[in-house]
Every structure is written in C-alpha cells, then in structure tokens.
Amino acid sequence: MATGRTIGASLLTKRDKKIIKLTENISDVFNNSITTLKDREHFKENYSKISYTRDAGTGRGAGKLQRDALCTRGRQGKAPFSNRNLRWHPLVAADKKISYAHPIDKIEIEGEKALVFVIKKKKYYPEEVCNLNKKYVVLPKHWIPHIDVLKNWTDSDWTANSCIIPALESTEWWHALESFMVLGVSIVGTLYGVKDIKGLIDEIIILLKNQSVDAKINLPTNTLKGVLKNKKDLLLCPLCKSRLNSNVANLLDRKRDDVWQPEWRTIKREEGEDKSIQIMHTRPLIERIVIHNAKNVRYGHRWCNIAMTDHSIDETLDFMEHIVKVHDRCKK
C-alpha cells in the first residue's frame, strides 16, 4: 500500500506558513496557561507541538491538536489521497460537483507514472498542486480514461502521487484554526486543570482578531462566537456529557484482559481504552458542504465516537432510545 508521506510534505506556501505560525502562537497561550512544569512539558509533547509541514511531520512531529484540527486523516491504499495534508489544501476529490471548488480540465499521465492535473490549460504535477490559488475538484469523469493504467500501479507509484485530499475532510483555513482553539480549550480545561477558561479564550481571541493571514477574513467568525456562548460544553464529551477526563458516562472502568503483542512493535493499547480521547464530528462530514469547523468539531471518548459511527448525535440518541425500549431497560 501507499504508506509514505504525502508528496511535497515540506512544501508550504507563504499563507500556509502564516497560518501555522498563528497556530503556534495559540499553542503558546495554551502552554502558558498550564501552571506546573511537568504538565506543561507533557502537554507540549503530546498535544501542542507544531510542525511546519503539510502532514504534521513524522515520528516525533506535531502534537495531537495539529494532527486533528489542521490535517486530514492518515490515508493508505492504492489511491491518490495524501497520507495527511492540510485541510485547506486546494485540490480535492469528490463523487459529484461541489459548490466550493472548480472542476479541473483533465488528468494526464506522464513519464515515470506521474499524475498531471490540467487546469485552465496549465499542467500541475503532484508537488505543485499546493500552489493553486483556488480550490479545484477532481471528479470520477477525470479518472475514467485512465482506469486500465491506474489499476496496475504499484504501492510506490501511488506514494509518489499522494497529493489530493477527500472533499469530505476539506475546510477553510480559518475553520481549521478555530477548531484548533476549541480542541485545545477542551484539553487544557480537563486533562491539565486550567480554571480560567474565559481568560484563556479572551487572550486567544486577541490573536485571532489581529491575524495577518488575510485582511478580508474577520476572526473570530460567528461560528466560533456561537460556540463560546456555552464554553463549559467544551469540557464535556458531546455524546455522554461527562467530562473528558472522567470515564465514559461516568460508568465504572471496564477491565480489559491482557493480550499478547509483539515486543518489537510500538504498543498503542491506551488508544483503545473506552475513555481515550478522539476527535469527533457532531454531524458526520459530507462532501457537498464544509462542516469541519468550531461548531462541529469536538473531543470525546473513544467509546462514544465509535457508537456514533457516521451518524449525528441526534441519530445516535434515537438509536440508543430504541435499544433501551426494546430491552425494557427504561428506568422510572
């Protein structure tokens, strides 16, 4: 499978660098809000560390906040998807036309199995598409003429062409930035015991208002302002409504039996715990509209995230209500 880094992972535009720098400034505010040195270092290493790359770096690269808020999910497989990329990356793939991106002209294949995207009669190679100044979408009709060739590409061929993100995960840079803020508040307010959430938010709002990325964008957006009216909700799992640093729905811990793991592999068993923290979308992502934003992005418990699958909170609650009724478990 295509397992390498996204093509051109270290290639950042001037705008990309400004956005990541602003993100780093917000991280510094979070870092300074944590009182003890040990906790501050733990937060930096695991959550707030910043990498000036498109894919959040490798190994000991960026922390969880950058990976979740600013970057798409890690991708593998025989497809042109980036193995992580910035969510505002200008080239997306979709099943149908979408309102926020222009269709490309066509795809060509050149030389040593390189995808070429033709846009307004100009050719863009995989490492160049990050420089596009508008969003463009690659549709099924663009791939169809090349299916017989592409189906025989090797893992290495696909890794060398991993330069597209799914429209499903695409967003605008300001939505990604505000999502970073929301997720950061959730973490420092729960796992690291920061009490003055209002003061923390006020300090970050000043940074957002003074952003120099694009003078036409007024931050914070109305989306973020709406979220901050109920800022205490950011400290809760959006599904079970218990605090992120508590067990799922305040239930007793589930005892997991030990299982053998090869000693030469990295052990990530903690990530599989019911109460481990994962990024959640309160409404499932869809291709036709951008909803990876401050209103829709939250941290929640792994169990709650899995229970939602690709459904909204309301749909999940309807399902749970039905299950409780048919099992006659309604408490009076």
Side-chain angles (χ1 to χ4, degrees), residues 5 8 87 112 126 166 184 201 211 256 293 303:
R5 297 183 68 183
R87 286 185 181 268
E112 296 296 322
I201 290 173
Q211 62 87 14
R256 301 173 70 200
N293 56 34
W303 188 354

Side-chain angles (χ1 to χ4, degrees), residues 64 68-69 178-184 186-187 223-224 226-239 241 244 277-283 291-301 305 308 313:
K64 183 173 174 60
D68 288 344
E178 291 184 338
S179 297
F180 183 95
M181 173 189 173
V182 165
L183 295 179
S186 299
I187 294 300
T223 299
L224 179 57
V227 169
L228 297 180
K229 289 179 180 178
N230 299 300
K231 59 181 78 68
K232 289 184 178 179
D233 286 348
L234 301 180
L235 309 182
L236 308 177
C237 172
L239 185 62
K241 292 297 185 180
L244 289 176
I277 295 173
Q278 294 184 347
I279 186 173
M280 298 172 66
H281 291 90
T282 58
R283 292 168 55 204
I291 54 174
H292 179 88
N293 56 34
K295 181 179 180 180
N296 196 42
V297 174
R298 292 290 182 276
Y299 273 140
H301 301 119
N305 194 28
M308 287 178 64
I313 286 182

Side-chain angles (χ1 to χ4, degrees), residues 24-36:
E24 189 171 37
N25 292 340
I26 294 172
S27 286
D28 289 341
V29 175
F30 285 136
N31 296 337
N32 293 335
S33 71
I34 299 172
T35 54
T36 68

Side-chain angles (χ1 to χ4, degrees), residues 62-250:
K64 183 173 174 60
L65 292 176
Q66 181 176 346
R67 296 197 307 269
D68 288 344
L70 269 58
C71 297
T72 59
R73 291 177 296 169
R75 292 270 184 162
Q76 298 179 354
K78 294 191 174 183
F81 294 125
S82 296
N83 190 16
R84 290 200 185 277
N85 205 331
L86 297 173
R87 286 185 181 268
W88 58 89
H89 183 65
L91 190 63
V92 306
D95 186 56
K96 297 180 178 65
K97 287 184 179 180
I98 50 181
S99 61
Y100 55 89
H102 306 278
I104 68 168
D105 298 341
K106 62 179 178 178
I107 290 175
E108 295 178 354
I109 299 177
E110 285 189 4
E112 296 296 322
K113 298 182 179 178
L115 290 175
V116 180
F117 304 92
V118 182
I119 301 171
K120 295 184 177 180
K121 299 182 179 180
K122 183 178 178 180
K123 294 182 177 181
Y124 292 86
Y125 292 87
E127 64 274 16
E128 297 174 329
V129 296
C130 64
N131 295 313
L132 291 167
N133 59 7
K134 294 180 180 178
K135 281 196 177 181
Y136 290 90
V137 59
V138 186
L139 299 168
K141 68 178 183 181
H142 299 122
W143 302 106
I144 289 173
H146 308 290
I147 287 178
D148 288 340
V149 173
L150 296 176
K151 68 183 181 182
N152 293 314
W153 275 18
T154 65
D155 300 339
S156 297
D157 296 331
W158 285 112
T159 298
N161 288 277
S162 55
C163 65
I164 301 176
I165 67 170
L168 193 74
E169 299 185 54
S170 178
T171 195
E172 304 293 351
W173 67 264
W174 54 90
H175 288 317
L177 194 68
E178 291 184 338
S179 297
F180 183 95
M181 173 189 173
V182 165
L183 295 179
V185 169
S186 299
I187 294 300
V188 298
T190 52
L191 302 191
Y192 298 93
V194 173
K195 303 295 184 184
D196 187 13
I197 295 299
K198 182 182 183 303
L200 176 68
I201 290 173
D202 289 345
E203 191 172 350
I204 295 174
I205 292 297
I206 293 173
L207 291 175
L208 295 179
K209 286 182 176 179
N210 294 319
Q211 62 87 14
S212 61
V213 180
D214 189 337
K216 294 181 290 186
I217 305 298
N218 293 318
L219 296 181
T221 64
N222 289 332
T223 299
L224 179 57
K225 290 177 183 176
V227 169
L228 297 180
K229 289 179 180 178
N230 299 300
K231 59 181 78 68
K232 289 184 178 179
D233 286 348
L234 301 180
L235 309 182
L236 308 177
C237 172
L239 185 62
C240 74
K241 292 297 185 180
S242 59
R243 283 178 63 95
L244 289 176
N245 57 338
S246 72
N247 203 20
V248 180
N250 293 318

